[in-house]
mmCIF file of all heavy atoms in Angstrom:
data_model
loop_
_atom_site.group_PDB
_atom_site.id
_atom_site.type_symbol
_atom_site.label_atom_id
_atom_site.label_comp_id
_atom_site.label_asym_id
_atom_site.label_seq_id
_atom_site.Cartn_x
_atom_site.Cartn_y
_atom_site.Cartn_z
ATOM 1 N N LEU A 1 -149.970 27.674 37.651
ATOM 2 C CA LEU A 1 -149.299 26.394 37.425
ATOM 3 C C LEU A 1 -148.331 26.057 38.555
ATOM 4 O O LEU A 1 -147.844 26.957 39.236
ATOM 5 C CB LEU A 1 -148.553 26.434 36.069
ATOM 6 C CG LEU A 1 -149.431 26.785 34.861
ATOM 7 C CD1 LEU A 1 -148.567 27.073 33.659
ATOM 8 C CD2 LEU A 1 -150.399 25.671 34.557
ATOM 9 N N GLY A 2 -148.042 24.778 38.725
ATOM 10 C CA GLY A 2 -147.221 24.337 39.829
ATOM 11 C C GLY A 2 -145.910 23.713 39.402
ATOM 12 O O GLY A 2 -145.719 23.285 38.256
ATOM 13 N N ARG A 3 -144.980 23.639 40.354
ATOM 14 C CA ARG A 3 -143.678 23.027 40.143
ATOM 15 C C ARG A 3 -143.708 21.512 40.380
ATOM 16 O O ARG A 3 -143.027 20.744 39.714
ATOM 17 C CB ARG A 3 -142.676 23.653 41.105
ATOM 18 C CG ARG A 3 -141.264 23.077 41.020
ATOM 19 C CD ARG A 3 -140.401 23.653 42.146
ATOM 20 N NE ARG A 3 -138.996 23.354 41.949
ATOM 21 C CZ ARG A 3 -138.045 23.733 42.785
ATOM 22 N NH1 ARG A 3 -138.364 24.415 43.883
ATOM 23 N NH2 ARG A 3 -136.778 23.434 42.575
ATOM 24 N N LEU A 4 -144.542 21.099 41.344
ATOM 25 C CA LEU A 4 -144.588 19.693 41.787
ATOM 26 C C LEU A 4 -145.354 18.821 40.791
ATOM 27 O O LEU A 4 -146.369 19.263 40.217
ATOM 28 C CB LEU A 4 -145.259 19.656 43.139
ATOM 29 C CG LEU A 4 -145.240 18.335 43.915
ATOM 30 C CD1 LEU A 4 -143.803 17.943 44.293
ATOM 31 C CD2 LEU A 4 -146.103 18.445 45.156
ATOM 32 N N ALA A 5 -144.923 17.597 40.622
ATOM 33 C CA ALA A 5 -145.641 16.624 39.785
ATOM 34 C C ALA A 5 -147.064 16.474 40.316
ATOM 35 O O ALA A 5 -147.264 16.355 41.540
ATOM 36 C CB ALA A 5 -144.936 15.281 39.756
ATOM 37 N N ALA A 6 -148.033 16.511 39.437
ATOM 38 C CA ALA A 6 -149.452 16.435 39.826
ATOM 39 C C ALA A 6 -150.016 15.049 39.518
ATOM 40 O O ALA A 6 -149.712 14.455 38.485
ATOM 41 C CB ALA A 6 -150.249 17.492 39.079
ATOM 42 N N GLU A 7 -150.845 14.551 40.395
ATOM 43 C CA GLU A 7 -151.483 13.257 40.152
ATOM 44 C C GLU A 7 -152.473 13.364 39.003
ATOM 45 O O GLU A 7 -153.166 14.356 38.838
ATOM 46 C CB GLU A 7 -152.225 12.794 41.411
ATOM 47 C CG GLU A 7 -151.285 12.485 42.569
ATOM 48 C CD GLU A 7 -152.018 11.833 43.734
ATOM 49 O OE1 GLU A 7 -152.968 11.085 43.486
ATOM 50 O OE2 GLU A 7 -151.600 12.094 44.891
ATOM 51 N N ASP A 8 -152.511 12.328 38.177
ATOM 52 C CA ASP A 8 -153.445 12.296 37.051
ATOM 53 C C ASP A 8 -154.864 12.079 37.549
ATOM 54 O O ASP A 8 -155.184 11.102 38.189
ATOM 55 C CB ASP A 8 -153.056 11.192 36.073
ATOM 56 C CG ASP A 8 -151.773 11.481 35.324
ATOM 57 O OD1 ASP A 8 -151.506 12.684 35.076
ATOM 58 O OD2 ASP A 8 -151.051 10.554 34.977
ATOM 59 N N LEU A 9 -155.738 13.025 37.200
ATOM 60 C CA LEU A 9 -157.167 12.929 37.549
ATOM 61 C C LEU A 9 -158.034 12.680 36.310
ATOM 62 O O LEU A 9 -159.087 12.069 36.424
ATOM 63 C CB LEU A 9 -157.619 14.202 38.235
ATOM 64 C CG LEU A 9 -157.138 14.457 39.641
ATOM 65 C CD1 LEU A 9 -157.536 15.842 40.133
ATOM 66 C CD2 LEU A 9 -157.679 13.402 40.603
ATOM 67 N N PHE A 10 -157.580 13.196 35.172
ATOM 68 C CA PHE A 10 -158.405 13.156 33.979
ATOM 69 C C PHE A 10 -157.677 12.407 32.855
ATOM 70 O O PHE A 10 -156.469 12.481 32.708
ATOM 71 C CB PHE A 10 -158.729 14.567 33.490
ATOM 72 C CG PHE A 10 -159.419 15.400 34.551
ATOM 73 C CD1 PHE A 10 -158.759 16.441 35.200
ATOM 74 C CD2 PHE A 10 -160.719 15.140 34.921
ATOM 75 C CE1 PHE A 10 -159.381 17.180 36.176
ATOM 76 C CE2 PHE A 10 -161.377 15.875 35.883
ATOM 77 C CZ PHE A 10 -160.688 16.917 36.511
ATOM 78 N N ASP A 11 -158.490 11.699 32.042
ATOM 79 C CA ASP A 11 -157.882 10.975 30.885
ATOM 80 C C ASP A 11 -158.070 11.769 29.601
ATOM 81 O O ASP A 11 -158.532 12.917 29.642
ATOM 82 C CB ASP A 11 -158.479 9.563 30.776
ATOM 83 C CG ASP A 11 -159.989 9.561 30.584
ATOM 84 O OD1 ASP A 11 -160.544 10.571 30.058
ATOM 85 O OD2 ASP A 11 -160.643 8.566 30.899
ATOM 86 N N GLU A 12 -157.739 11.158 28.498
ATOM 87 C CA GLU A 12 -157.768 11.877 27.212
ATOM 88 C C GLU A 12 -159.176 12.294 26.770
ATOM 89 O O GLU A 12 -159.333 13.119 25.897
ATOM 90 C CB GLU A 12 -157.133 10.990 26.119
ATOM 91 C CG GLU A 12 -155.638 10.778 26.285
ATOM 92 C CD GLU A 12 -154.849 12.085 26.266
ATOM 93 O OE1 GLU A 12 -155.108 12.906 25.365
ATOM 94 O OE2 GLU A 12 -154.038 12.296 27.188
ATOM 95 N N SER A 13 -160.195 11.710 27.383
ATOM 96 C CA SER A 13 -161.569 12.074 27.025
ATOM 97 C C SER A 13 -162.044 13.369 27.677
ATOM 98 O O SER A 13 -163.059 13.933 27.304
ATOM 99 C CB SER A 13 -162.531 10.957 27.411
ATOM 100 O OG SER A 13 -162.603 10.813 28.823
ATOM 101 N N TYR A 14 -161.231 13.874 28.638
ATOM 102 C CA TYR A 14 -161.644 15.076 29.372
ATOM 103 C C TYR A 14 -161.594 16.309 28.521
ATOM 104 O O TYR A 14 -160.627 16.554 27.791
ATOM 105 C CB TYR A 14 -160.766 15.259 30.607
ATOM 106 C CG TYR A 14 -161.021 16.558 31.352
ATOM 107 C CD1 TYR A 14 -162.162 16.693 32.149
ATOM 108 C CD2 TYR A 14 -160.156 17.634 31.254
ATOM 109 C CE1 TYR A 14 -162.414 17.854 32.837
ATOM 110 C CE2 TYR A 14 -160.386 18.821 31.922
ATOM 111 C CZ TYR A 14 -161.516 18.933 32.727
ATOM 112 O OH TYR A 14 -161.764 20.100 33.415
ATOM 113 N N THR A 15 -162.613 17.140 28.626
ATOM 114 C CA THR A 15 -162.646 18.436 27.941
ATOM 115 C C THR A 15 -162.904 19.518 28.959
ATOM 116 O O THR A 15 -163.893 19.467 29.733
ATOM 117 C CB THR A 15 -163.776 18.460 26.867
ATOM 118 O OG1 THR A 15 -163.552 17.446 25.934
ATOM 119 C CG2 THR A 15 -163.806 19.812 26.169
ATOM 120 N N TYR A 16 -162.068 20.492 29.003
ATOM 121 C CA TYR A 16 -162.240 21.626 29.922
ATOM 122 C C TYR A 16 -163.353 22.534 29.446
ATOM 123 O O TYR A 16 -163.419 22.880 28.261
ATOM 124 C CB TYR A 16 -160.926 22.434 29.992
ATOM 125 C CG TYR A 16 -161.082 23.763 30.665
ATOM 126 C CD1 TYR A 16 -161.247 23.890 32.046
ATOM 127 C CD2 TYR A 16 -161.065 24.951 29.893
ATOM 128 C CE1 TYR A 16 -161.374 25.138 32.648
ATOM 129 C CE2 TYR A 16 -161.207 26.182 30.469
ATOM 130 C CZ TYR A 16 -161.369 26.285 31.850
ATOM 131 O OH TYR A 16 -161.517 27.523 32.447
ATOM 132 N N GLU A 17 -164.235 22.914 30.357
ATOM 133 C CA GLU A 17 -165.289 23.890 30.074
ATOM 134 C C GLU A 17 -165.096 25.124 30.918
ATOM 135 O O GLU A 17 -165.111 25.065 32.158
ATOM 136 C CB GLU A 17 -166.665 23.283 30.377
ATOM 137 C CG GLU A 17 -167.091 22.175 29.408
ATOM 138 C CD GLU A 17 -168.534 21.749 29.673
ATOM 139 O OE1 GLU A 17 -169.448 22.531 29.381
ATOM 140 O OE2 GLU A 17 -168.715 20.631 30.163
ATOM 141 N N PHE A 18 -164.892 26.227 30.270
ATOM 142 C CA PHE A 18 -164.662 27.504 30.930
ATOM 143 C C PHE A 18 -165.819 27.853 31.853
ATOM 144 O O PHE A 18 -166.989 27.815 31.454
ATOM 145 C CB PHE A 18 -164.450 28.597 29.872
ATOM 146 C CG PHE A 18 -164.225 29.969 30.444
ATOM 147 C CD1 PHE A 18 -163.049 30.250 31.129
ATOM 148 C CD2 PHE A 18 -165.121 30.992 30.233
ATOM 149 C CE1 PHE A 18 -162.797 31.505 31.640
ATOM 150 C CE2 PHE A 18 -164.897 32.250 30.730
ATOM 151 C CZ PHE A 18 -163.719 32.525 31.432
ATOM 152 N N GLY A 19 -165.470 28.191 33.101
ATOM 153 C CA GLY A 19 -166.502 28.614 34.024
ATOM 154 C C GLY A 19 -167.342 27.502 34.625
ATOM 155 O O GLY A 19 -168.342 27.773 35.302
ATOM 156 N N LYS A 20 -166.954 26.237 34.413
ATOM 157 C CA LYS A 20 -167.715 25.106 34.908
ATOM 158 C C LYS A 20 -166.888 24.271 35.882
ATOM 159 O O LYS A 20 -165.716 23.985 35.643
ATOM 160 C CB LYS A 20 -168.166 24.219 33.762
ATOM 161 C CG LYS A 20 -169.156 24.885 32.809
ATOM 162 C CD LYS A 20 -170.466 25.202 33.523
ATOM 163 C CE LYS A 20 -171.491 25.807 32.550
ATOM 164 N NZ LYS A 20 -172.759 26.160 33.290
ATOM 165 N N GLY A 21 -167.512 23.873 36.996
ATOM 166 C CA GLY A 21 -166.912 22.962 37.927
ATOM 167 C C GLY A 21 -167.136 21.516 37.465
ATOM 168 O O GLY A 21 -167.954 21.259 36.584
ATOM 169 N N VAL A 22 -166.408 20.607 38.083
ATOM 170 C CA VAL A 22 -166.505 19.193 37.699
ATOM 171 C C VAL A 22 -166.768 18.384 38.980
ATOM 172 O O VAL A 22 -165.969 18.398 39.915
ATOM 173 C CB VAL A 22 -165.185 18.690 37.064
ATOM 174 C CG1 VAL A 22 -165.330 17.227 36.642
ATOM 175 C CG2 VAL A 22 -164.803 19.570 35.876
ATOM 176 N N GLN A 23 -167.928 17.706 39.010
ATOM 177 C CA GLN A 23 -168.212 16.823 40.178
ATOM 178 C C GLN A 23 -167.526 15.500 39.946
ATOM 179 O O GLN A 23 -167.808 14.795 39.003
ATOM 180 C CB GLN A 23 -169.708 16.664 40.362
ATOM 181 C CG GLN A 23 -170.058 15.847 41.611
ATOM 182 C CD GLN A 23 -171.511 15.861 41.955
ATOM 183 O OE1 GLN A 23 -172.125 16.920 41.986
ATOM 184 N NE2 GLN A 23 -172.077 14.699 42.271
ATOM 185 N N LEU A 24 -166.622 15.173 40.878
ATOM 186 C CA LEU A 24 -165.845 13.921 40.756
ATOM 187 C C LEU A 24 -166.492 12.759 41.512
ATOM 188 O O LEU A 24 -166.379 11.608 41.091
ATOM 189 C CB LEU A 24 -164.422 14.154 41.276
ATOM 190 C CG LEU A 24 -163.607 15.208 40.533
ATOM 191 C CD1 LEU A 24 -162.232 15.371 41.156
ATOM 192 C CD2 LEU A 24 -163.508 14.900 39.053
ATOM 193 N N THR A 25 -167.109 13.047 42.638
ATOM 194 C CA THR A 25 -167.847 12.019 43.387
ATOM 195 C C THR A 25 -169.136 12.614 43.929
ATOM 196 O O THR A 25 -169.233 13.821 44.144
ATOM 197 C CB THR A 25 -167.032 11.465 44.586
ATOM 198 O OG1 THR A 25 -166.863 12.488 45.554
ATOM 199 C CG2 THR A 25 -165.670 10.962 44.126
ATOM 200 N N ASP A 26 -170.127 11.765 44.143
ATOM 201 C CA ASP A 26 -171.387 12.226 44.700
ATOM 202 C C ASP A 26 -171.396 11.968 46.207
ATOM 203 O O ASP A 26 -170.689 11.104 46.706
ATOM 204 C CB ASP A 26 -172.567 11.514 44.039
ATOM 205 C CG ASP A 26 -173.888 12.215 44.279
ATOM 206 O OD1 ASP A 26 -173.830 13.390 44.771
ATOM 207 O OD2 ASP A 26 -174.943 11.652 44.003
ATOM 208 N N GLY A 27 -172.182 12.722 46.945
ATOM 209 C CA GLY A 27 -172.314 12.564 48.374
ATOM 210 C C GLY A 27 -173.346 13.525 48.910
ATOM 211 O O GLY A 27 -173.606 14.573 48.289
ATOM 212 N N ASP A 28 -173.920 13.213 50.054
ATOM 213 C CA ASP A 28 -174.962 14.090 50.614
ATOM 214 C C ASP A 28 -174.696 14.569 52.042
ATOM 215 O O ASP A 28 -175.535 15.240 52.637
ATOM 216 C CB ASP A 28 -176.331 13.407 50.513
ATOM 217 C CG ASP A 28 -176.351 12.023 51.141
ATOM 218 O OD1 ASP A 28 -175.447 11.732 51.971
ATOM 219 O OD2 ASP A 28 -177.231 11.256 50.792
ATOM 220 N N ASP A 29 -173.542 14.213 52.613
ATOM 221 C CA ASP A 29 -173.224 14.697 53.944
ATOM 222 C C ASP A 29 -172.423 16.018 53.921
ATOM 223 O O ASP A 29 -172.763 16.979 54.596
ATOM 224 C CB ASP A 29 -172.424 13.633 54.707
ATOM 225 C CG ASP A 29 -173.283 12.469 55.154
ATOM 226 O OD1 ASP A 29 -174.486 12.687 55.398
ATOM 227 O OD2 ASP A 29 -172.756 11.330 55.204
ATOM 228 N N VAL A 30 -171.357 16.027 53.158
ATOM 229 C CA VAL A 30 -170.476 17.176 53.070
ATOM 230 C C VAL A 30 -169.999 17.338 51.629
ATOM 231 O O VAL A 30 -169.886 16.338 50.920
ATOM 232 C CB VAL A 30 -169.281 17.037 54.043
ATOM 233 C CG1 VAL A 30 -168.455 15.787 53.688
ATOM 234 C CG2 VAL A 30 -168.391 18.289 54.006
ATOM 235 N N THR A 31 -169.697 18.585 51.234
ATOM 236 C CA THR A 31 -169.126 18.830 49.916
ATOM 237 C C THR A 31 -167.700 19.331 50.071
ATOM 238 O O THR A 31 -167.459 20.292 50.828
ATOM 239 C CB THR A 31 -169.949 19.857 49.123
ATOM 240 O OG1 THR A 31 -171.266 19.343 48.885
ATOM 241 C CG2 THR A 31 -169.278 20.106 47.767
#
């Protein structure tokens, strides 16, 4: 956990899944 205020990325509909990544944007040049 951090000390600094964090920008909001997820809303109330978000559910954390253990061991799973979350793709936020699609793209085919670089990840």
Side-chain angles (χ1 to χ4, degrees):
L1 304 168
R3 178 187 192 182
L4 189 65
E7 295 188 33
D8 289 328
L9 289 173
F10 304 108
D11 60 25
E12 291 301 311
S13 66
Y14 174 75
T15 301
Y16 167 75
E17 290 187 70
F18 179 66
K20 295 295 183 182
V22 182
Q23 183 169 314
L24 299 179
T25 67
D26 197 13
D28 53 20
D29 286 330
V30 60
T31 298

